[in-house]
Amino acid sequence: MKNSRQSIVEKFKKKDRICNICQLEKELSEDHVPPQACPPAKNTVISKLFYQMIGERGFRPRMSQNGVSYKTICSDCNNKLGNRYDWALGDFSQKIESFVGSSVILPDSFEVECYPNAIMRSVLGHLLAAKTETDEVVIDTVVRPSILDPSLPIPDDIHIFYWVYPYETISILRDFAMPAVRGNLQTSGFFNMIKFYPIAFLITHQLPSYEKLLSLHQFNQLPSGDKANLQIDLRPIKRSTWPEECLGEENFLVVGRAANDSVYAVPKLKKIKNHS
């Protein structure tokens, strides 16, 4: 029997009115992460990834009929993000979905034509939105100009890795540290993560590789309106809890205030299970 006194996981909204992208004080709007053009179910049950990882049971998940959203950016930035870049991420994720859901036997690796730089800017823009604190995290400061000005390249020390994610769970985690090489606890990297069906992204600052993941870095300076082919590896499939899972001496996580804005969401008809 559920404890009726449990608090419901709150909506993600800022206490101030400073836009996470333009940093101006304005009326804030709801930003959908991932954007609504992407395949994940919109009728969801939302908890916090951090709660799932530590086994926190003091909060009840929140129901949403409109997907995961953060009230953290102004409508001007929200509209620019949608009009300039989100169509590319939506189109790309729908193409991947058609392969992941296909009954046809496919090769382990193939290429998809898309707009890589626009995809990157969409991911980075929604990454900026996925936080309710106004702070001065380095990666936000580095990324922000290229989201505001399409003519600026994505900074060279920003690396976006991607892999196929055939799971219905949406997981979002900002500003965390973990080993730069799994199993080597002596060196760590700074990470951000957005995972949703059918693709996942891991964003790093000054870390050019991670566990042999495919990288978008070669497209940092490509104009956002230019097409290119992206390699897609269907196999091997990563676990749904990879890479954030903590596995003894293989991996650990260090999180900050942004863990309060982390997301673990599943389609409404399914029950949230322990993160393991």
Side-chain angles (χ1 to χ4, degrees):
M1 184 176 180
K2 293 182 179 179
N3 184 354
S4 60
R5 295 183 179 180
Q6 286 179 312
S7 298
I8 297 176
V9 170
E10 70 274 11
K11 292 184 177 182
F12 301 109
K13 57 183 180 180
K14 299 192 70 171
K15 293 180 180 178
D16 61 34
R17 290 158 50 98
I18 299 174
C19 172
N20 279 5
I21 294 181
C22 68
Q23 294 188 296
L24 298 177
E25 189 170 354
K26 295 183 178 181
E27 186 70 30
L28 301 181
S29 62
E30 299 276 351
D31 179 59
H32 294 88
V33 186
Q36 291 189 306
C38 296
K42 307 299 184 283
N43 206 10
T44 54
V45 181
I46 300 173
S47 183
K48 297 190 179 186
L49 180 60
F50 183 58
Y51 291 169
Q52 297 298 314
M53 297 180 72
I54 66 173
E56 171 62 59
R57 295 293 178 265
F59 293 82
R60 284 187 292 156
R62 170 170 54 86
M63 306 296 178
S64 171
Q65 296 181 338
N66 204 25
V68 177
S69 65
Y70 291 80
K71 193 173 184 179
T72 56
I73 62 176
C74 69
S75 58
D76 289 339
C77 288
N78 204 341
N79 290 333
K80 288 176 183 177
L81 196 57
N83 294 332
R84 289 175 176 171
Y85 313 125
D86 285 353
W87 56 270
L89 179 57
D91 180 66
F92 176 60
S93 59
Q94 288 169 20
K95 286 180 178 178
I96 304 304
E97 180 188 32
S98 69
F99 290 109
V100 171
S102 174
S103 59
V104 178
I105 298 176
L106 297 169
D108 288 353
S109 184
F110 56 91
E111 291 188 343
V112 169
E113 186 180 62
C114 60
Y115 297 83
N117 189 272
I119 291 168
M120 297 170 75
R121 290 174 194 260
S122 176
V123 170
L124 293 173
H126 293 290
L127 180 73
L128 289 173
K131 178 195 293 186
T132 62
E133 294 281 346
T134 298
D135 55 27
E136 297 297 328
V137 172
V138 172
I139 193 169
D140 292 27
T141 303
V142 170
V143 163
R144 194 173 281 118
S146 62
I147 304 304
L148 289 168
D149 185 349
S151 68
L152 294 177
I154 295 171
D156 192 59
D157 53 5
I158 296 299
H159 298 266
I160 303 179
F161 307 104
Y162 66 100
W163 67 99
V164 169
Y165 181 77
Y167 309 102
E168 294 180 307
T169 305
I170 299 171
S171 296
I172 302 169
L173 184 59
R174 289 247 20 208
D175 305 340
F176 65 97
M178 63 182 180
V181 178
R182 297 176 81 86
N184 181 354
L185 306 186
Q186 303 305 311
T187 60
S188 61
F190 187 72
F191 298 85
N192 289 270
M193 178 186 78
I194 299 177
K195 302 191 298 185
F196 60 89
Y197 179 79
I199 196 79
F201 298 95
L202 190 68
I203 301 93
T204 70
H205 180 239
Q206 298 181 339
L207 184 67
S209 65
Y210 183 76
E211 298 300 310
K212 299 181 179 180
L213 287 177
L214 295 173
S215 173
L216 294 170
H217 189 260
Q218 63 179 305
F219 304 110
N220 277 38
Q221 297 192 36
L222 185 76
S224 60
D226 284 11
K227 287 183 178 181
N229 289 334
L230 270 191
Q231 180 180 336
I232 303 297
D233 290 346
L234 284 180
R235 286 172 281 274
I237 296 295
K238 303 291 187 185
R239 295 182 296 274
S240 64
T241 55
W242 192 92
E244 73 275 12
E245 58 196 356
C246 295
L247 300 173
E249 296 184 357
E250 179 181 328
N251 196 48
F252 68 85
L253 247 64
V254 177
V255 299
R257 292 181 300 176
N260 289 324
D261 300 318
S262 64
V263 166
Y264 181 81
V266 298
K268 188 175 180 179
L269 295 180
K270 296 192 175 183
K271 294 182 179 180
I272 289 182
K273 298 180 180 179
N274 290 339
H275 187 88
S276 60

